[in-house]
Amino acid sequence: MSLETLDSPRAAAPDLLRFGVPLALALVLVAFSLMAPGFLTLSNIVGVLVNNVALAAIVSIAMTLTVASGGTDLSVGTAVDLGSLAFVSAIIAGQPVWIAAVLGVLAGIGTGLFNALLIAGLSITPFLATLGTLFIGHSLQQLTTDGGNPVYVPTGSIPPALAFIGHGAVFGVPLALWLVAILAAAAWLLLARSRFGREVLAVGTEPQVALYSGLPVRSVLAFIYIASAAIASIAGILISANVNAYVPYSGNAYLLNSIGAAFIGTSLSRTRRANIPGTLLGVLLLGFVSNGLLLIGWNFYWQQVGSGLLIFLALLLAFTGRRDAA
Amino acid sequence: MSLESSFESSLAAFKALHLPRAGRPAPPPEAVAAPGLSRGALAGVLRFAGLLALLAVVAFFAVRVPSFVTTGNIGLILSQSAVLGILGLGLTLVLITGGSDVIRGGIDLSLAGTLGLAAAVFATLNQAGYGDTACVAATLATGLAVGALNALSVTWLRILPLLATLAVMNICGGLELVLTENTTVPAGLPLIDALNLVGPFDLPVIGLVLVAAWLILAVTVRFTAVGLRAYAVGGHPEAARAAGIDLTRYLASSYLVAGLLGGVAGILSVAFLNAATSGSAEMLLPVIATAFLGRMFSRRLVPTVTGTLLAAVFLGALANGFQLLHVSSYWVNGIEGALILAVVGATSGLAGRGARP
């Protein structure tokens, strides 16, 4: 069995265009450091990375896996929320923080298992399967929180380990950034450097050819959706540790940007496939744009317009010259 | 280009050789007669099942709450479904013309954003002292402009529809915030009063607008060459191109009409709420659900105008009935989700195991 055909350039983009997103990011960085004096300081950059980028990056890494397999996971936010709910509930029930964290990830895996059942088991299109999961997850959260009330960890009894997860640092680098680095490295190794990654990309590019080439398409898809939800639930645990609470539906805020980041990232690949470095660039682009617009004094409302327009321009850079669309 | 086409043709040859049923372009009729028949019968049952589910829900509520089937309540369901239904119709056109592959095919994520922006334009102009005509014209123009931006991005700039409309959604959401500053903008115009009246057949005018939009689109899509060509562009782009259809024009038009419908939905939503309110983004997923759920009502399980209308009314009836039964609204989303899964589960079971897009 050969996977060589996977390298045949279906959408052979001129190599220059692959650098559209790095170019856009560089332009954004240069422009804002000229316009806003505080932009290019270490404290601002670390602030952006911790506050705007870290959580979005984790959710986007999860999204990248499913996009690479030819689908999308609209329920990443649900996995974030259910991870957060399980984590906070366990802490309130008096469990040690590490057990709570394990339970949080298990809640994520449960969400992923449900998706895997629908997608790999019942052959439902990922987009619609995860849309259904999203709706069911919404109801589940309404029912458990009496319509969407946040659940707080009582201020008197916040365990030190929880505060460490939320605000701690190792070797001077915030824990959230370590987690991003570890997850990104693991996902990159899996997608770009393992045999399994080749199988994922084969399933994502030509599912039928993959199926009739004897690839275990169902197991590949099942693993991808479980892994995606598990990674997303880690973001949920970080959010809860940050605010000492579970806030219903807060994970959905990351959904659209993670889709945006993963697809913006595809422009980095010669064959337009989802890849981890591209996704991370996409997340950085989105994060620095909103921070820069804030620093040059745009109000929140115009920031939304501005970042929408800039994403549009980035897409334009990334997609110019594409000729495979019908 | 030649590399690409040779890859595609070798792929087609591979598929023709190895795919037993799903991928074959034109199997000889006698070869598939038996499974074709049973699958057709199953499809018939499934179409029946969609309507049956709708009727069962109506019957259940009618028995439990007699006031469910009164004209007043039916009118209420129609007006509650109007905004969702109109947006769903817009998305249905995009799905028909763009094809049903979620990633590469047609999708318009900006519809909910268009709704919010259009409503904000309408209410803001109203506050600034403009009358019916100016407000309606500006609102519809806003919808068309958003549709034009989508059309331009998808056809000319060749950005993936999923991404292009995602970016446009963000732009719309931002502009809406700029106009409303995240507050509720009240509106009051003769037109709004007229929309809130009860019209012919004892039905509210808002609901009748939905019915009228459905009629126009259903007739156009079902009974004109334009509709047939739109399905061809979405389902078999290569064949459509070979038949001399201008794909770009059809794709662009579908986004333009969807944008226009977004503008109409904006006016209806201002009329229904007597204001432009924030939170239109929450409509996005229900709109997608409506358009995809609508496939349950079509024989070949494809998006259809009438199917989408039925799906919107179905979801409206569910929410309304639960309200009358005093069932917590917390369950509504979950039941909608389970319905979507049941429908698409049945659909993909029908389409065959190997036919995953």
Side-chain angles (χ1 to χ4, degrees), chain A residues 167-234:
Chain A
H167 308 283
V170 181
F171 301 122
V173 176
L175 185 70
L177 296 184
W178 281 111
L179 276 173
V180 172
I182 292 168
L183 289 172
W188 178 75
L189 283 175
L190 187 76
L191 268 189
R193 284 289 176 269
S194 76
R195 183 194 159 82
F196 182 75
R198 305 285 288 175
E199 295 184 355
V200 172
L201 291 172
V203 169
T205 318
E206 281 300 339
Q208 295 193 330
V209 176
L211 186 68
Y212 290 102
S213 306
L215 290 184
V217 175
R218 282 163 198 279
S219 333
V220 168
L221 285 176
F223 177 85
I224 284 293
Y225 283 89
I226 293 170
S228 159
I231 293 173
S233 65
I234 294 175

Side-chain angles (χ1 to χ4, degrees), chain A:
Chain A
M1 179 191 58
S2 153
L3 291 178
E4 288 308 308
T5 48
L6 277 176
D7 281 329
S8 58
R10 299 183 66 198
D15 266 2
L16 259 180
L17 291 167
R18 285 170 53 203
F19 302 108
V21 173
L23 195 69
L25 181 60
L27 282 176
V28 162
L29 290 178
V30 170
F32 281 129
S33 49
L34 290 177
M35 284 190 282
F39 182 75
L40 211 62
T41 58
L42 187 66
S43 67
N44 183 56
I45 287 177
V46 172
V48 174
L49 290 181
V50 173
N51 299 322
N52 297 16
V53 169
L55 293 169
I58 294 177
V59 179
S60 303
I61 289 168
M63 182 63 77
T64 307
L65 294 181
T66 57
V67 172
S69 75
T72 34
D73 185 354
L74 295 183
S75 66
V76 273
T78 309
V80 170
D81 289 331
L82 294 182
S84 165
L85 173 63
F87 180 66
V88 169
S89 308
I91 286 182
I92 291 176
Q95 297 294 333
V97 171
W98 71 269
I99 289 188
V102 169
L103 286 174
V105 175
L106 280 179
I109 289 177
T111 316
L113 211 56
F114 187 66
N115 283 332
L117 202 74
L118 298 170
I119 295 163
L122 297 176
S123 303
I124 297 178
T125 316
F127 188 82
L128 296 174
T130 54
L131 181 69
T133 307
L134 172 62
F135 274 63
I136 293 171
H138 197 85
S139 251
L140 210 61
Q141 294 180 66
Q142 284 185 317
L143 289 165
T144 46
T145 59
D146 196 20
N149 296 308
V151 180
Y152 295 97
V153 180
T155 348
S157 58
I158 293 172
L162 184 65
F164 175 74
I165 295 179
H167 308 283
V170 181
F171 301 122
V173 176
L175 185 70
L177 296 184
W178 281 111
L179 276 173
V180 172
I182 292 168
L183 289 172
W188 178 75
L189 283 175
L190 187 76
L191 268 189
R193 284 289 176 269
S194 76
R195 183 194 159 82
F196 182 75
R198 305 285 288 175
E199 295 184 355
V200 172
L201 291 172
V203 169
T205 318
E206 281 300 339
Q208 295 193 330
V209 176
L211 186 68
Y212 290 102
S213 306
L215 290 184
V217 175
R218 282 163 198 279
S219 333
V220 168
L221 285 176
F223 177 85
I224 284 293
Y225 283 89
I226 293 170
S228 159
I231 293 173
S233 65
I234 294 175
I237 293 170
L238 278 177
I239 296 174
S240 321
N242 237 317
V243 296
N244 297 318
Y246 153 67
V247 184
Y249 337 126
S250 51
N252 276 344
Y254 298 97
L255 170 62
L256 294 173
N257 274 353
S258 69
I259 296 179
F263 276 96
I264 288 175
T266 59
S267 67
L268 202 67
S269 137
R270 191 165 50 82
T271 46
R272 304 269 181 220
R273 294 208 194 84
N275 61 93
I276 297 293
T279 299
L280 292 180
L281 277 178
V283 177
L284 286 174
L285 184 67
L286 297 178
F288 277 110
V289 162
S290 58
N291 171 259
L293 290 176
L294 180 79
L295 286 185
I296 61 171
W298 284 28
N299 74 19
F300 177 75
Y301 311 134
W302 278 109
Q303 268 179 54
Q304 309 296 310
V305 184
S307 50
L309 281 173
L310 278 172
I311 296 170
F312 194 83
L313 289 179
L315 287 175
L316 206 67
L317 270 176
F319 279 81
T320 318
R322 236 175 75 102
R323 282 293 173 266
D324 62 336

Side-chain angles (χ1 to χ4, degrees), chain B residues 223-263:
Chain B
F223 298 108
T224 68
V226 173
L228 192 63
R229 287 184 193 138
Y231 272 109
V233 170
H236 304 280
E238 291 309 323
R241 198 200 308 270
I245 298 174
D246 185 347
L247 302 192
T248 308
R249 210 175 74 200
Y250 273 82
L251 274 178
S253 308
S254 73
Y255 285 99
L256 277 174
V257 177
L260 187 67
L261 287 170

